[in-house]
Amino acid sequence: MEQITELSYALDTFYFLVSGVLVMWMAAGFAMLEAGMVRAKNTAEILTKNISLFAVACIMYMLYGYSIMYPGEAVSPWWPGIGSILGSTDNSAADVLASNGETYYSGLSDFFFQVVFVATAMSIVSGAVAERMKLWSFLLFAVVMTGFIYPMQGYWKWGGGGLDALGFLDFAGSGVVHLCGATAALAGVLLLGARKGKYRADGSINPIPGANMPLATLGTFILWMGWFGFNGGSELKVSDVAEANAVALVFVNTNMAAAGGVVAAMAVARMLFGKTDLTMALNGALAGLVAITAEPLTPAPLLATGIGAVGGVIVVFSILGLDRLKIDDPVGAISVHGVVGMWGLIAVILSNPDATLVAQLTGLGVIFAWTFVTSFIVWFVIKMVMGIRVSEEEEYEGVDLGECGMEAYPEFIGSQGSGK
Amino acid sequence: MEQITELSYALDTFYFLVSGVLVMWMAAGFAMLEAGMVRAKNTAEILTKNISLFAVACIMYMLYGYSIMYPGEAVSPWWPGIGSILGSTDNSAADVLASNGETYYSGLSDFFFQVVFVATAMSIVSGAVAERMKLWSFLLFAVVMTGFIYPMQGYWKWGGGGLDALGFLDFAGSGVVHLCGATAALAGVLLLGARKGKYRADGSINPIPGANMPLATLGTFILWMGWFGFNGGSELKVSDVAEANAVALVFVNTNMAAAGGVVAAMAVARMLFGKTDLTMALNGALAGLVAITAEPLTPAPLLATGIGAVGGVIVVFSILGLDRLKIDDPVGAISVHGVVGMWGLIAVILSNPDATLVAQLTGLGVIFAWTFVTSFIVWFVIKMVMGIRVSEEEEYEGVDLGECGMEAYPEFIGSQGSGK
Amino acid sequence: MEQITELSYALDTFYFLVSGVLVMWMAAGFAMLEAGMVRAKNTAEILTKNISLFAVACIMYMLYGYSIMYPGEAVSPWWPGIGSILGSTDNSAADVLASNGETYYSGLSDFFFQVVFVATAMSIVSGAVAERMKLWSFLLFAVVMTGFIYPMQGYWKWGGGGLDALGFLDFAGSGVVHLCGATAALAGVLLLGARKGKYRADGSINPIPGANMPLATLGTFILWMGWFGFNGGSELKVSDVAEANAVALVFVNTNMAAAGGVVAAMAVARMLFGKTDLTMALNGALAGLVAITAEPLTPAPLLATGIGAVGGVIVVFSILGLDRLKIDDPVGAISVHGVVGMWGLIAVILSNPDATLVAQLTGLGVIFAWTFVTSFIVWFVIKMVMGIRVSEEEEYEGVDLGECGMEAYPEFIGSQGSGK
């Protein structure tokens, strides 16, 4: 009997770790997606941002974020928050056996799973501010975002705070992760302004195509794959029949929503543009995934496909709409994660009888308001103190040379080229 | 005791889901492989095809395919086929416990695993028809292929149909998946014709090199990785000593066959061409994997290496041979998946005492005949109704501009370049 | 009770196989990293080396290596070493049940895990000798390295040999895998010499930037991901509370060390160069991972972050230092895996009370001396017999054309370009 409990604990822990690896892999997905969607001259810098934001997120969440978001887990007497992640304080076998099934996975595996989530939220930001933001200003924001802004609202929902008590539902984070990341991005973009040449004086919009579509597609496939860990792991338990079925359903719905998003976005793009735009297909996949993230467990697969498809439609119009508002988002991150994240929160009421529109809108509003206000303040302070935008000359030459002192594709493009 | 059964169910379900994620990842592998093997001007379109065929495959298989292939699993009273994947009808704990071990994984996890297989079969097609087929004609074919042609022959073997009763053996689908996909591709290629400029008037062959070898190599590695899920998951069970050993052997044999394929194909290419052609090494790896897929469980690892090596030899000669026949297959998909798939089916008799040459050849013939005839008809109808080939001008300019209205590498290649 | 033992065996086997898949995936990581760090004209060849060395490593380790490294596992009467991997001789359920927990995973799953480790060691070599070594000379070395040199020193530590008896500690192979690979690379580089034009007559160093930074970044992310299997799987067991906690801690520490390495290397690079060099950030991540590999289980996560950060600092200075010594290593492999591997071995004493500096230095010295002397002899013999360096003309034109008869990016770069 004790052996069964231990084995069950081992399986749930292993499931958590595998899910965490898949979510960690999403960092590569964002890096590839964003590197593919910017111009060649800004590619090395966006790659640098992506790998360094992941590192910063892990360190800040270890030092502060985890203890803010899950205060119940933070038991260190000597440092706030890293108690449970010190390794010396994971659950003993005796505690597990005495817990009557309450303690069913390693606390460290939970930290691992959570820490890769934070990085996801932060990754969303880097795409939206691409091609014009200073690298170290961005990293400074990442410190505050991953150590404080994200964990605080995460606590309200997942750490047992007020939004949870209110009945706000967000299974794997359409709001807590995606809307939060997109909102922080929006605040940054508003203070940062559009890329030079994006919006012409005559009011027309200058499309700036990404330099490397295979990379962007690879990034999308990586994110699709990683999302099975993101949503699938958020069930938190797999070790009995009901839980295993639940995880399987989450996998199926996650996949179907992405499929629905692809088809819908392609069809809309085809109708609007007369051509089958690849970037819209990619954004459609991601929109489907974001849309189902708030509730991948209660819909039937057919409904999940529909929820994803609506996300795919929304994302196309949102991208076009933000461009009209001159909100310049090179990779469409605000639309994919923010606007569709809102749709995902609302769509919970379609299948989960415990959800109410009021609670969902309250949660949505609180996450948006908190993240927008705090992010805006932080971006603003950074702007005042050290600036957030590179010089006009550096933007023209490419931030790769200015920030990183190198080129991403030194042989492919002469200094005269590079999409200027 | 009941807890053990539940835990066992959970492990088998989790193993199925992990395997399914690996197979889903193969979609990215095909996308990268094909994007690397075509010319730059046709890259965005092949990427669009790859992500959209995956979406179409998932939707069609949910709506129709799964119920055709596994009628025993389809129990919905209101829609043919999606009963078991509605989520409301997964196995209850009581049923699992009462089943005496017969019901040992979530029905939804099975659907997830199966649906990514369909996409694999369809991915094979896109490579062979690359650089000249209309996007939406291709997607229309995908609808029929994934919703009907593939599931029908899949039923004959894996759903309990006639080929299974006959003693035809195909563990993970050298025939059901790879030969089927390659045959559908062959039918399409015959109706489509070769790329302009591939076969010169004087009878000589104009090699058209792929634009991006790192992508093609990445795709091959992704497929190699995903194949552990493809073959490893096809054991369907891992939860006791004998099954765990079986899965481990399948992993080892899958890996060794790929290794054998690489070395053999490289050696042959080196002997034939005097140079060590990378694309042949890649095709050798894939050929080894396809060859072992029909029977990765009964050979010893040394024999598995040999079976893969023979696959690696075959694929080189097959690619050269098809070119002589003026069957133009830009990525070698028909050779890798079709010709070597046949070898895989036959190689079963080398190690599995239950296999007979007659049964294997019968299965091979039935799958080929069914898929070729039905695919040919469908391609033909599509050709008559809306056409399957882009205009000569569009082919010259690149299907990226014509079909997707964009370029895959807008900064790397001027409009004058692009491998024309 | 028996069912629990069987289920436990299945979980540990499955954990081993999943870990092995992640390590196998590192082969793609090395391929992408190296392809990104060399010039375009040498890319196809480095890709060919990477996929073929993996194949060679698997075959040689099956035939010879595994039986040398783990003689206790090699029981075949008819062929040295492949007994335990013949499939017919995996553990029977009866043996498992009678073993009192001693036999707790499939022998074949162990072979699978070990074989992908060998390939990792060999992958390290290909980067350091890139852009100037003959392909088939390299493969010949790979045969000896993976069939004899690596397994021999692996036996001394992990197979129960003298280094293990001495108290030398190396959890997952900072020494056995990384230092060994880097030392073999060093011996090769010394006999091979620097690339033409790297070190100028006036003593200055000509930086030769890599052609494709997104690929290099992707490769780093792949390696980071794969490392969870590399270190996480090296605990060898997950199936009870203590083991599950241990694996979770290994995951967390592996991740934190990489994060520490990124931040430290970026900061140092920024201070030294005034710019935030992306390649240093990537090398920092890898250095952090190598540093923690010798002991990812006993440090607290904060210490693991620090161990990785020191690795990140070391790697920057090591790369600069080796360049001063005119040891030309295009991807920094000797620094990342060798110099930082040494740091990893020494860092064990910071947290593991069983470690002694004497034992660690002894192990370090033995691995280095054995690998350097044997590798030097083998490289030397190959150099005498068939040569190891391509002709000056071939180096100038690019080894892609000379060795593989093809180009990696035929459309992106005219024959006049290519970083000459």
Side-chain angles (χ1 to χ4, degrees), chain C residues 93-156:
Chain C
D95 286 350
V96 171
L97 297 172
S99 78
N100 243 326
E102 291 260 312
T103 306
Y104 59 92
Y105 55 73
S106 149
L108 281 152
S109 69
D110 180 64
F111 171 73
F112 180 67
F113 188 66
Q114 299 297 339
V115 79
V116 288
F117 265 65
V118 197
T120 298
M122 192 60 214
S123 291
I124 295 165
V125 182
S126 65
V129 302
E131 304 204 282
R132 61 217 194 269
M133 181 175 274
K134 285 184 177 176
L135 174 59
W136 289 82
S137 304
F138 173 83
L139 289 180
L140 192 53
F141 180 80
V143 166
V144 186
M145 173 81 177
T146 59
F148 178 63
I149 298 175
Y150 169 90
M152 203 67 211
Q153 52 96 43
Y155 162 70
W156 293 337

Side-chain angles (χ1 to χ4, degrees), chain C residues 24-49:
Chain C
M24 174 269 156
W25 182 224
M26 291 171 73
F30 282 109
M32 293 302 109
L33 178 66
E34 295 174 13
M37 298 290 262
V38 300
R39 284 165 290 179
K41 65 181 178 183
N42 298 319
T43 303
E45 198 256 6
I46 201 88
L47 294 166
T48 308
K49 271 185 186 153

Side-chain angles (χ1 to χ4, degrees), chain B residues 77 153 160 203 224 232 247 251 253 278 335 357 367:
Chain B
Q153 53 96 43
W224 192 327
V247 175
F251 271 64
N253 282 344
L278 170 60
S335 298
L357 185 57
I367 291 172

Side-chain angles (χ1 to χ4, degrees), chain A residues 1 3-4 6-7 9-11 13-14 17-18 21-22 24-25 27-28 31-32 35 43-44 47-48 50-52 54-56 58-59 62-63 78 82 85-87 90-93 96 106-109 111-112 115-116 135-136 139 215 218 222 225 401-412, chain C residues 1 4-5 7-8 11 14-15 18 22 25 38-41 209-215 217-218 220-222 224-225 228 238-242 244-245 247-249 251-252 255-256 258-260 262-263 266-267 270 274-279 281-282 285 299-302 305 409 412-413 417-419:
Chain A
M1 196 62 181
Q3 254 185 303
I4 299 175
E6 293 220 17
L7 196 52
Y9 178 99
L11 177 58
T13 298
F14 183 55
L17 294 172
V18 171
V21 169
L22 289 173
M24 174 269 156
W25 182 224
M32 293 302 109
T43 304
L47 294 166
T48 309
N50 270 278
I51 196 161
S52 54
F54 188 84
V56 166
C58 290
I59 292 173
M62 176 184 71
L63 293 179
W78 61 279
I82 59 171
I85 55 171
L86 274 176
D90 213 332
N91 313 303
S92 71
V96 171
S106 150
L108 281 151
S109 70
F111 172 72
F112 180 67
V115 77
V116 289
L135 175 58
W136 289 83
L139 290 179
L215 280 192
L218 175 64
I222 292 174
M225 183 195 196
L401 287 173
E403 298 289 88
C404 302
M406 63 191 302
E407 292 173 273
Y409 309 101
E411 298 180 44
F412 297 170
Chain C
M1 197 61 180
I4 299 175
T5 306
L7 195 53
S8 183
L11 177 58
F14 182 55
Y15 146 80
V18 171
L22 288 173
W25 182 224
V38 300
R39 284 165 290 179
K41 65 181 178 183
N212 196 326
M213 286 304 113
L215 279 192
T217 307
L218 176 64
T220 303
F221 272 116
I222 292 174
W224 192 328
M225 183 194 196
F228 294 113
V238 73
S239 61
D240 60 35
V241 170
N245 289 345
V247 174
L249 179 56
F251 271 64
V252 169
N255 192 54
M256 294 314 304
V262 169
V263 170
M266 276 177 69
R270 164 93 194 173
K275 303 278 184 182
T276 314
D277 193 278
L278 170 61
T279 61
L282 303 181
L302 200 60
T305 314
Y409 308 102
F412 297 169
I413 298 176
S418 225

Side-chain angles (χ1 to χ4, degrees), chain A residues 1 4-5 7-8 11 14-15 18-19 22 25 38-41 209-215 217-218 220-222 224-225 228 238-242 244-245 247-249 251-252 255-256 258-260 262-263 266-267 270 274-279 281-282 285 299-302 305 409 412-413 417-419, chain B residues 1 3-4 6-7 9-11 13-14 17-18 21-22 24-25 27-28 31-32 35 43-44 47-48 50-52 54-56 58-59 62-63 78 82 85-87 90-93 96 106-109 111-112 115-116 135-136 139 212 215 218 222 225 401-412:
Chain A
M1 196 62 181
I4 299 175
T5 305
L7 196 52
S8 184
L11 177 58
F14 183 55
Y15 145 78
V18 171
S19 299
L22 289 173
W25 182 224
V38 300
R39 283 166 290 179
K41 65 181 178 181
N212 198 325
M213 285 305 112
L215 280 192
T217 307
L218 175 64
T220 303
F221 272 116
I222 292 174
W224 192 327
M225 183 195 196
F228 294 113
V238 73
S239 60
D240 61 33
V241 170
N245 289 345
V247 174
L249 179 55
F251 271 65
V252 168
N255 193 54
M256 294 313 304
V262 170
V263 170
M266 275 177 69
R270 165 91 195 175
K275 303 279 184 180
T276 313
D277 192 279
L278 171 60
T279 59
L282 304 180
L302 201 59
T305 314
Y409 309 101
F412 297 170
I413 298 177
S418 225
Chain B
M1 196 59 181
Q3 256 186 304
I4 299 175
E6 293 219 18
L7 195 53
Y9 179 98
L11 177 59
T13 297
F14 183 55
L17 293 173
V18 171
V21 169
L22 289 172
M24 174 268 155
W25 182 224
M32 294 301 110
T43 304
L47 293 166
T48 308
N50 270 277
I51 196 160
S52 55
F54 188 84
V56 166
C58 290
I59 292 172
M62 175 184 71
L63 293 179
W78 61 280
I82 58 172
I85 55 172
L86 274 178
D90 213 333
N91 313 302
S92 71
V96 171
S106 150
L108 281 152
S109 69
F111 171 73
F112 180 68
V115 77
V116 289
L135 174 58
W136 289 83
L139 290 180
N212 198 325
L215 279 192
L218 175 64
I222 292 174
M225 182 195 197
L401 287 173
E403 297 289 90
C404 302
M406 63 190 303
E407 291 173 273
Y409 309 102
E411 300 180 43
F412 297 172

Side-chain angles (χ1 to χ4, degrees), chain C residues 43-415:
Chain C
T43 303
E45 198 256 6
I46 201 88
L47 294 166
T48 308
K49 271 185 186 153
N50 270 278
I51 196 161
S52 55
L53 77 84
F54 188 85
V56 166
C58 290
I59 292 172
M60 289 309 298
Y61 200 68
M62 175 184 72
L63 293 179
Y64 294 104
Y66 189 64
S67 67
I68 293 172
M69 191 155 161
Y70 298 100
E73 310 290 330
V75 296
S76 166
W78 62 279
W79 185 284
I82 58 170
S84 67
I85 54 172
L86 274 178
S88 50
T89 57
D90 213 332
N91 313 303
S92 70
D95 286 350
V96 171
L97 297 172
S99 78
N100 243 326
E102 291 260 312
T103 306
Y104 59 92
Y105 55 73
S106 149
L108 281 152
S109 69
D110 180 64
F111 171 73
F112 180 67
F113 188 66
Q114 299 297 339
V115 79
V116 288
F117 265 65
V118 197
T120 298
M122 192 60 214
S123 291
I124 295 165
V125 182
S126 65
V129 302
E131 304 204 282
R132 61 217 194 269
M133 181 175 274
K134 285 184 177 176
L135 174 59
W136 289 82
S137 304
F138 173 83
L139 289 180
L140 192 53
F141 180 80
V143 166
V144 186
M145 173 81 177
T146 59
F148 178 63
I149 298 175
Y150 169 90
M152 203 67 211
Q153 52 96 43
Y155 162 70
W156 293 337
K157 170 58 198 150
W158 291 340
L163 285 179
D164 193 47
L166 207 87
F168 170 62
L169 298 179
D170 190 6
F171 188 88
S174 290
V176 172
V177 181
H178 295 277
L179 176 57
C180 174
T183 306
L186 175 65
V189 167
L190 291 178
L191 281 168
L192 186 62
R195 288 167 292 172
K196 290 287 165 212
K198 172 73 182 173
Y199 304 111
R200 298 197 195 90
D202 65 2
S204 68
I205 296 164
N206 175 29
I208 301 179
N212 196 326
M213 286 304 113
L215 279 192
T217 307
L218 176 64
T220 303
F221 272 116
I222 292 174
L223 289 166
W224 192 328
M225 183 194 196
W227 230 287
F228 294 113
F230 197 93
N231 286 359
S234 293
E235 177 66 12
L236 309 182
K237 194 172 190 345
V238 73
S239 61
D240 60 35
V241 170
E243 294 292 350
N245 289 345
V247 174
L249 179 56
V250 169
F251 271 64
V252 169
N253 282 343
T254 300
N255 192 54
M256 294 314 304
V262 169
V263 170
M266 276 177 69
V268 171
R270 164 93 194 173
M271 279 184 279
L272 292 179
F273 314 138
K275 303 278 184 182
T276 314
D277 193 278
L278 170 61
T279 61
M280 289 302 175
L282 303 181
N283 279 323
L286 299 176
L289 291 162
V290 171
I292 203 66
T293 293
E295 185 49 272
L297 184 57
T298 53
L302 200 60
L303 178 58
T305 314
I307 290 170
V310 173
V313 173
I314 290 173
V315 80
V316 177
F317 287 104
S318 174
I319 288 173
L320 298 175
L322 287 182
D323 251 353
R324 293 250 172 108
L325 297 172
K326 297 194 200 302
I327 295 173
D328 184 21
D329 175 359
V331 307
I334 298 170
S335 297
V336 167
H337 301 276
V339 179
V340 179
M342 293 182 189
W343 157 241
L345 290 177
I346 293 166
V348 179
I349 61 172
L350 297 180
S351 65
N352 190 326
D354 295 337
T356 66
L357 185 58
V358 172
Q360 293 310 100
L361 290 177
T362 307
L364 186 162
V366 168
I367 291 171
F368 181 84
W370 161 259
T371 309
F372 189 82
V373 171
T374 52
S375 297
F376 196 91
I377 293 169
V378 176
W379 286 122
F380 187 78
V381 171
I382 297 173
K383 185 173 180 176
M384 290 300 107
V385 174
M386 57 193 284
I388 56 175
R389 183 152 186 152
V390 300
S391 72
E392 209 164 313
E393 193 193 330
E394 185 176 330
E395 188 177 345
Y396 182 78
E397 294 294 333
V399 288
D400 284 4
L401 287 172
E403 298 289 89
C404 303
M406 63 190 302
E407 291 174 273
Y409 308 102
E411 299 180 43
F412 297 169
I413 298 176
S415 56

